[in-house]
Amino acid sequence: QNNMLDFVFAVDDSVTWHMMNLLKNRSHYSFLKVFGPKQISSIQSYGAGIYYNTLVPCNGRMIKYGVISTDTLIDDLLHWKTLYVAGRLQKPVKILTQNENSKLQAALVSNLKSAVTAAFLMLPESFSEEDLYMQIAGLSYSGDFRMIIGEDRLKVQNIVKPNVLHFQKLYSNILQDCPQVVYKHHLGRLEASIDKSPEGQFTQLMALPRTLQQKITSLVDPPGKNRDVEEILLQVAHDPDCGFVVHQG
C-alpha cells in the first residue's frame, strides 16, 4: 500500500502527448512545464529516452509515470541501447493496454529471448529455474552503480522469490521452444543443461543484442586492432571466463 506505483507510457508522438497532458495535468510537472511540450520532449530524448513525472497523488496512492516514445522503446528492447526500460520489461509487469503494434510486440518477445540468452551464458552448465530468473532479474542491475554503493543487495531476490509464478508465465513459451531446457512437469520444475562448448557459446554470443556485443568487444579488443565483432566473439567463446566477460559487458 505504501509503495509508489510506477507506470510507463509508450507514446507514438511525445510532443502531442505532453501538450495534451499539460492541459489536463499541469500540476504533475516540475518547473519544466514553463518551457512547453517541445522542450519537455527534447529533454525526454536524453539518457534512457524517458521523461518522469514523480510524486503524483492518484486515487489515494503515490504514483510516478515515465513517458517514452514507441520508437525509443523498440530500439532499447531490440538492441539494449541503455537497458533501462528493456530491463524493467524482463521482469513481470502488468500491461494495462496495448495497441496493435506488431513491431513493438516482436521487440517485447526479442527482449525476453535476449535476456534468456545472456543468462545462459552467465550460468553454469546446470541450474534451477529460480537460478535462471535470478540471473535474468539481475541483468539490468549488473551495470547499475546504485547496487555497488549500497542499494539493497537483496533487491533481485526480493523481486524473484514472491514472483516465480509470474516469471514462469512470462518466459514459459520461450523456454518451451528452447532445446537446452527440459520441463519436468511432474516435479513442477525446469531442468536445463547448457551447451558450454565454444561452438555453443559462440552461437549464443552472436544472438546477443548489438550494444552488449559492442561492450564485450571493447573489453576484449585493445584499441587500434580493429578486428571484426565476429572474430572477437569467437575468441570470447573459447575463453573459460566467457560468462564473466558477458557480465562485465
Side-chain angles (χ1 to χ4, degrees), residues 7-177:
F7 294 86
V8 173
F9 301 126
V11 302
D12 293 341
D13 179 349
S14 296
V15 176
T16 304
W17 196 92
H18 284 297
M19 184 177 75
M20 303 292 287
N21 199 40
L22 279 163
L23 290 171
K24 281 186 170 184
N25 301 303
R26 196 170 174 83
S27 64
H28 293 183
Y29 288 81
S30 68
F31 72 92
L32 292 170
K33 58 178 164 265
V34 301
F35 297 114
K38 276 190 181 169
Q39 196 62 40
I40 289 169
S41 295
S42 75
I43 290 165
Q44 182 182 306
S45 65
Y46 287 102
I50 187 164
Y51 177 92
Y52 261 97
N53 281 331
T54 186
L55 296 171
V56 176
C58 178
N59 296 342
R61 292 286 298 263
M62 272 296 179
I63 72 162
K64 59 178 176 172
Y65 61 90
V67 184
I68 187 168
S69 85
T70 310
D71 288 343
T72 302
L73 173 58
I74 290 170
D75 193 38
D76 197 36
L77 290 168
L78 292 177
H79 305 304
W80 290 5
K81 197 174 173 189
T82 68
L83 198 58
Y84 185 77
V85 180
R88 284 161 181 245
L89 291 168
Q90 290 161 2
K91 305 171 187 78
V93 297
K94 175 82 172 162
I95 295 181
L96 297 173
T97 180
Q98 194 174 352
N99 63 12
E100 294 299 311
N101 185 330
S102 56
K103 210 173 161 189
L104 176 57
Q105 195 56 53
L108 286 163
V109 175
S110 173
N111 179 43
L112 298 180
K113 285 181 177 173
S114 296
V116 170
T117 303
F120 281 176
L121 281 159
M122 290 189 272
L123 284 161
E125 207 166 330
S126 297
F127 50 85
S128 71
E129 188 171 13
E130 195 173 288
D131 290 337
L132 174 64
Y133 300 144
M134 289 284 287
Q135 194 72 59
I136 288 170
L139 283 174
S140 56
Y141 294 116
S142 38
D144 190 336
F145 75 95
R146 292 173 303 174
M147 300 302 275
I148 298 159
I149 60 165
E151 194 164 289
D152 189 5
R153 292 298 183 107
L154 294 170
K155 192 165 191 168
V156 174
Q157 205 171 315
N158 293 340
I159 290 168
V160 174
K161 293 251 184 216
N163 288 301
V164 169
L165 287 173
H166 294 297
F167 273 96
Q168 283 174 334
K169 195 175 170 189
L170 190 60
Y171 286 97
S172 63
N173 288 345
I174 289 164
L175 295 174
Q176 276 163 4
D177 291 343

